[in-house]
C-alpha cells in the first residue's frame, strides 16, 4: 500500500536494527513521548526486536490518560444536563470520573455523541439552535488547532449555543518535568512528530542543551521509529545532544504557522493538572478572555468542581524505568488488565499490560480456562 | 500570563484512569461482541436458563430431535442505516442466521422472521426490506416459513428491527464446534476482512474514504458444503461478525484451551479497510464482517480445503493466516511483519476511534 508499506519494510527494518545494534556500545534509555508512538512500538513488536542495550521508556503522551479527574467530572456533570448535546472523541467515553463515565451518562439518558472533529460538533450546534452543544476539547498540540478553529468559527457564525470544555496540554513543559524529576533516567527523547508538525521545533534546542539530551523528532510508522532510535543512539554514543528532525516529510522547523496563529488567537498558556502526575506549570492552554463566552466551565458553572485523585500504584516508577512491572506487589494480583490500578496496565501499549500478557503467554500460569478476557483498550 | 505554580512534579506517583467495569446499566458495549457481551451471557443469561447445549457457546445449537441432528439459531438485527453499500437490514437478517447455522456444518432449511416496526415508518421501507429478505432467502436456499409483526409507539424504536431464527440439518459425521480446535490445525479465513464494518461506519458517520466500500454480506452455507465435501473433519467454523476476527479467534482459543498464532502479513486486509482503520485508529482485526468465515482444519486436509474454498464464489480470497498451537493456551498471538509478536486480546465492547 502506497505510503504505508514503504514504512513497514522488514528488510529496511532489519538493516536499521542491525545498525542500532552495531552503534550501541552501552545501555541507553530513550523515552518516546507520544502514546501514538508507544502504540506503534507495541503493535509491531519493535521493543522485542531492539538490542538489549536500548531500552524504551513509555512517555506520558496519552491525552486520554492525562486529562485530570476533575475535568472528567465536569464533563459528566455537563453531559447529564437536559438540553445538552455533549460531543467527544470516542476514546474519552470510557474514561472514568469519580463514580461513572460518559457511557454511563449516555445509558442514563444523556445525549452523548462521538464525533470525529470539533467542526462536526459545530455543525450540530448550527442544526440544533434550541440545544447547547459542548465539545470536549482535550489533547496535545495536535488537536488544539482544530479546536481553536471550531470556537473561532462559532464566533464568526454568531452561534451562541456552542462551547468547549478545554483541557489542552503542551509537550515541552512535560519534558522539562520529566528531566527535573530526581529519579529521572531518560537519556534521550523521540519527540512526537505530530506535535512538531504543528508547533515546529523552536522550543526544543533549549531543552536539549539544558538537559544535555538528544531530541529526535520521530514519526509513527515502524521505520520512522527505528530511524528515530538510530539517530538518538548515534548522538548518545558520540556525546552529542541536538535536536534532529527524522520526520522531514511532515515536520518543518517553523511548524504550521497558520495553525499556531489560530491557537494563539483563541488560547493562552496556563498551568495544568495532569491526571496521575500532578500540576505542571505552564503546561496547558485555556480559552482567552475574548473567547470566555465559549468556555463550557463558565457557561455551565462547573468551575468549582474539585476532585481528589487516589494514587496507589507504582505506574510512575515503571514509566521511568525505575522498576520492572513484576517488581510491583500489586502486579498480576490486585492489578490486572481487568482491574488496573494505573496507566501502564490500562492500555495495550502499557508496559505492565504487555508484561502481564507475555508472562502468561510464556509462563507456567498460562493454563487452559484461564485465558484472557480482560480488556486491552488502546486509549491513547 | 497566568501565575506560575510553585509545585514539584513527582512522576513516581503517575497513574492513569481505569475503565469502569461494574456498570449497573446496559451500555452500548454490551452488544459489541466482546468481553462485555460475554459477561452478559455468563452472568445473566447462562445462570437464568443455562444448560449443556447453551454452554457450548457455538454460533448455533446442535440438537438431537427425532433421530435427526438439527442446528438451531436465532439473532436480532438492528442496524443503521437500514440500507447501505452492498446490502441492507434484510440481507443481514437472512444471511446472518443462515451463516450461524452453517458454522455448525448444517444445511440451513427454514427461517422465521419477526419484525418490530416503529409507528410512522413508511410502508415502502418495510416492503423493501421484506423483498430483500425474500431475495436473500432464495439465494441461500432457505424458506421463510413463519413470522410475526409488532408495532411500537413512535420514539420507542429505531425504525425497523428484525429477528430471524433458523433450523438446518447437520450431516452425519460432522461435528463442528469451538472446543474441537487442536494444536496443528490450519487457521483459514475465507476472504478479505473488515469490509462490512467499514462500509457501515462510512455511511453512518458520513465519512468518505476515497473509494466506496461495500459490505461483504453473503450466505456461506454453500461454501461450507464445498469444504465438507473435501473432509467432514473440519474442526471449527466461525463467522467473525461483531468483534471481528479477534473476538472469534479468542472465543475459539478459550473454548478449546489452545493457542492461536497468526501471521500479520498473511491476513487479507483490503487497502481501503486498512486506510480507513488507520485514519480512525481502529484495528481491522476487530472490525465486523458479515460474509466471511474462519476455519480450523486438520493440517493434512488444509491444502485441499483451501483449494475447494478458492474454487467457490464466496471463498476466492481464502487464505491461510496461521495455526493452532499448544503454547499460550487461550491466547491469540500475531507475528508482526517486522518479526515481533503481540497479543490480540478480546475487545471490551465496540472499538472506539482514538483521539490521535
Amino acid at each position: 500500500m502506497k505510503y504505508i508499506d514503504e514504512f513497514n519494510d522488514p528488510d529496511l527494518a532489519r538493516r536499521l536494527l542491525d545498525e542500532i545494534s552495531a552503534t550501541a556500545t552501552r545501555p541507553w534509555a530513550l523515552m518516546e513521548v507520544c502514546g501514538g508512538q508507544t502504540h506503534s512500538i507495541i503493535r509491531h513488536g519493535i521493543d522485542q526486536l531492539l538490542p538489549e542495550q536500548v531500552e524504551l521508556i513509555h512517555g506520558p503522551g496519552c491525552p486520554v490518560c492525562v486529562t485530570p479527574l476533575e475535568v472528567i467530572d465536569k464533563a459528566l456533570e455537563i453531559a447529564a444536563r437536559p438540553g445538552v448535546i455533549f460531543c467527544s472523541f470516542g476514546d474519552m467515553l470510557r474514561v472514568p470520573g469519580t463514580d461513572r463515565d460518559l457511557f454511563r451518562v449516555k445509558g442514563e439518558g444523556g445525549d452523548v455523541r462521538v464525533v470525529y472533529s470539533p467542526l462536526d460538533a459545530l455543525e450540530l450546534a448550527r442544526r440544533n439552535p434550541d440545544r447547547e452543544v459542548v465539545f470536549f476539547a482535550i489533547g496535545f498540540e495536535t488537536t488544539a488547532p482544530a479546536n481553536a478553529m471550531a470556537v473561532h468559527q462559532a464566533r464568526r457564525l454568531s452561534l451562541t449555543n456552542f462551547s468547549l470544555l478545554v483541557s489542552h496540554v503542551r509537550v515541552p513543559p512535560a519534558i522539562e518535568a520529566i528531566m527535573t524529576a530526581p529519579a529521572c533516567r531518560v537519556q534521550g527523547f523521540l519527540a512526537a512528530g505530530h506535535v512538531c508538525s504543528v508547533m515546529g521545533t523552536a522550543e526544543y534546542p533549549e531543552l536539549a542543551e539544558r538537559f544535555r539530551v538528544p531530541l529526535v523528532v520521530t514519526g509513527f510508522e515502524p521505520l520512522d521509529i527505528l530511524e528515530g532510535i538510530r539517530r538518538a543512539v548515534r548522538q548518545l554514543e558520540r556525546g552529542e545532544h541536538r535536536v534532529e528532525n527524522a520526520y522531514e516529510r511532515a515536520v518543518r522547523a517553523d511548524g504550521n504557522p497558520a495553525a499556531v496563529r489560530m491557537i494563539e488567537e483563541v488560547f493562552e498558556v496556563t498551568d495544568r493538572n495532569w491526571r496521575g502526575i500532578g500540576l505542571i506549570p505552564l503546561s496547558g492552554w485555556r480559552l482567552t478572555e475574548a473567547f470566555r463566552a465559549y468556555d463550557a466551565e463558565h457557561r455551565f458553572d462547573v468551575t468549582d468542581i474539585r476532585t481528589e485523585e487516589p494514587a496507589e500504584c507504582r505506574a510512575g516508577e515503571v514509566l521511568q524505568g525505575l522498576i520492572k512491572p513484576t517488581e510491583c506487589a500489586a502486579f498480576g494480583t490486585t492489578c490486572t488488565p481487568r482491574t488496573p490500578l494505573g496507566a501502564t496496565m490500562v492500555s495495550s501499549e502499557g508496559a505492565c499490560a504487555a508484561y502481564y500478557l507475555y508472562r502468561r503467554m510464556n509462563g507456567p500460569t498460562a493454563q487452559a480456562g484461564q485465558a484472557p478476557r480482560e480488556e486491552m483498550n488502546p486509549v491513547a | 500570563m497566568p501565575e506560575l505554580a510553585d509545585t514539584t512534579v513527582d512522576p513516581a506517583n503517575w497513574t492513569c484512569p481505569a475503565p469502569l467495569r461494574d456498570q449497573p446499566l446496559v451500555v452500548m458495549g454490551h452488544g459489541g461482541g466482546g468481553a462485555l457481551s460475554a459477561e452478559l451471557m455468563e452472568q445473566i443469561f447462562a445462570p437464568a436458563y443455562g444448560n449443556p447445549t447453551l454452554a457450548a457457546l457455538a454460533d448455533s445449537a446442535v440438537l438431537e430431535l427425532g433421530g435427526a441432528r438439527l442446528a438451531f439459531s436465532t439473532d436480532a438485527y438492528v442496524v443503521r442505516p437500514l440500507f447501505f453499500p452492498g446490502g441492507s437490514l434484510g440481507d443481514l437478517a437472512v444471511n446472518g442466521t443462515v451463516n450461524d447455522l452453517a458454522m455448525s456444518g448444517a444445511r440451513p432449511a427454514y427461517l422465521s422472521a419477526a419484525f418490530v416496526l416503529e409507528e410512522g415508518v413508511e410502508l415502502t421501507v418495510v416492503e423493501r426490506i421484506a423483498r430483500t429478505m425474500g431475495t436473500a432467502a432464495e439465494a441461500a436456499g432457505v424458506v421463510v416459513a413463519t413470522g410475526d409483526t409488532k408495532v411500537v409507539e413512535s420514539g420507542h424504536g429505531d425504525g425497523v428491527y428484525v429477528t430471524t431464527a433458523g433450523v438446518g440439518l447437520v450431516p452425519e459425521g460432522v461435528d463442528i464446534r469451538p472446543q474441537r480446535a487442536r494444536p496443528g490445525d490450519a487457521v483459514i479465513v475465507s476472504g478479505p476482512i473488515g469490509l462490512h464494518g467499514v462500509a457501515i461506519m462510512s455511511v453512518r458517520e458520513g465519512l468518505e474514504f476515497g473509494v466506496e466500500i461495500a459490505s461483504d454480506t453473503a450466505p456461506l452455507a454453500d461454501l461450507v458444503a464445498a469444504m465438507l465435501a473435501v473432509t467432514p473433519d473440519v474442526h471449527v467454523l466461525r463467522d467473525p461478525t461483531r468483534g471481528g476476527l479477534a473476538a472469534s479467534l479468542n472465543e475459539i482459543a478459550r473454548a478449546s484451551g489452545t493457542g492461536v498464532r497468526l501471521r500479520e502479513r498473511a491476513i487479507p486486509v483490503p487497502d481501503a479497510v486498512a486506510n480507513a482503520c488507520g485514519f480512525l485508529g481502529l484495528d481491522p482485526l476487530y472490525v465486523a464482517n458479515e460474509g466471511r468465515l474462519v476455519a480450523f482444519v486438520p493440517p493434512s486436509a488444509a491444502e485441499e480445503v483451501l483449494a475447494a474454498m478458492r474454487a467457490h464464489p464466496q471463498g476466492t480470497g481464502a487464505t491461510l493466516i496461521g495455526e493452532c498451537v499448544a503454547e499460550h493456551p487461550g491466547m491469540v498471538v500475531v507475528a508482526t511483519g517486522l518479526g515481533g509478536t503481540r497479543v490480540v486480546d478480546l475487545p471490551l465492547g465496540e472499538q472506539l476511534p482514538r483521539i490521535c
Side-chain angles (χ1 to χ4, degrees), chain A residues 123-145:
Chain A
E123 178 61 19
L124 273 174
R126 209 180 54 75
R127 282 200 226 143
N128 296 274
D130 55 332
R131 308 277 297 277
E132 282 283 339
V133 175
V134 183
F135 180 72
F136 202 173
I138 72 149
F140 286 83
E141 290 92 330
T142 7
T143 51

Side-chain angles (χ1 to χ4, degrees), chain A residues 8 48 65 96 276 343 358 380, chain B residues 13-14 16 18 265 336 341-342 354:
Chain A
N8 228 329
Q48 303 158 26
C65 293
Y358 286 110
Chain B
N13 288 326
W14 286 2
C16 190
R265 294 230 155 201
T336 71
T341 55
R342 76 187 148 94
R354 288 156 45 126

